[in-house]
Amino acid sequence: MHDRDEQNRFPGHPANESLSVPERPATFKDLIDQFSIHTPSRRSVSMVIPAGLSGFDFLVTAQGAVRDLCGAHLIDPDLLQEWRMWNGFAESSALPRTIAVQIEIDPLHARRRDEHALLLCARGCTLASYEDTALAFAAFWIAKGSDLFAKTAVQTTYKGLQLNDEGLVDIDLYRARSVAVVRRSPRIEPFLSPN
């Protein structure tokens, strides 16, 4: 990780505040259109990685757009370099891939990852993957100019993710109140004809 110095901070936005820009620049609007980014609520986002592109392609483009606008990093550069080698980020698909992530907060307890997983399973949901949560964070910031995680550390299937003055970083979380969630699609049973 980088030393925490002023050049890595978003101008006027200390680590404990969400990032924001008043209006979406044209480059951001192009990314929103290209990746079909939608923000159904202030805690959820969906996007489509087009065929032939990878999640890493999106992250690099988003990082460049934010750096050009704010002079700072959306994602910690060391972490982004590490992700270059991760299959979950670097693989492209012959078909478009949809990502939909919602951030939920347990109002009462900070729980371990396995406890969150069990509770979510009972509700027909699962913890979101580390990769999809990182992509969702970047997509939400490109669309809304604010932190999807709302100044908290968010648990995923692998590690926690959090925005700080270096950009998005990953952290080990023993317990967390905020979790990244994927809702399972309802199962469609095959139609059986009585004939």
Side-chain angles (χ1 to χ4, degrees), residues 6-139:
E6 284 301 319
Q7 78 178 36
N8 288 330
R9 292 183 190 212
F10 283 80
H13 299 284
N16 63 348
E17 293 182 12
S18 63
L19 310 175
S20 65
V21 291
E23 187 175 326
R24 303 292 83 202
T27 53
F28 286 34
K29 290 177 182 175
D30 291 344
L31 280 171
I32 291 166
D33 291 341
Q34 181 184 4
F35 291 90
S36 301
I37 299 171
H38 296 282
T39 53
S41 75
R42 61 185 182 89
R43 299 307 299 265
S44 64
V45 63
S46 67
M47 69 182 297
V48 176
I49 304 293
L53 292 179
S54 69
F56 191 76
D57 295 328
F58 170 73
L59 293 174
V60 167
T61 306
Q63 178 89 327
V66 171
R67 187 177 51 244
D68 291 346
L69 178 71
C70 300
H73 302 292
L74 182 61
I75 301 162
D76 177 85
D78 292 337
L79 186 58
L80 191 61
Q81 281 300 326
E82 186 180 314
W83 288 348
R84 181 180 299 280
M85 303 301 181
W86 285 46
N87 287 339
F89 288 111
E91 285 182 347
S92 61
S93 171
L95 298 173
R97 184 169 75 98
T98 300
I99 294 167
V101 173
Q102 179 173 317
I103 304 304
E104 294 187 4
I105 300 175
D106 186 320
L108 301 175
H109 301 287
R111 301 181 192 272
R112 294 188 323 264
R113 181 173 41 229
D114 59 336
E115 292 174 314
H116 281 300
L118 284 172
L119 289 170
L120 290 170
C121 184
R123 293 179 28 223
C125 305
T126 59
L127 276 171
S129 73
Y130 174 77
E131 295 90 342
D132 286 359
T133 306
L135 289 164
F137 165 84

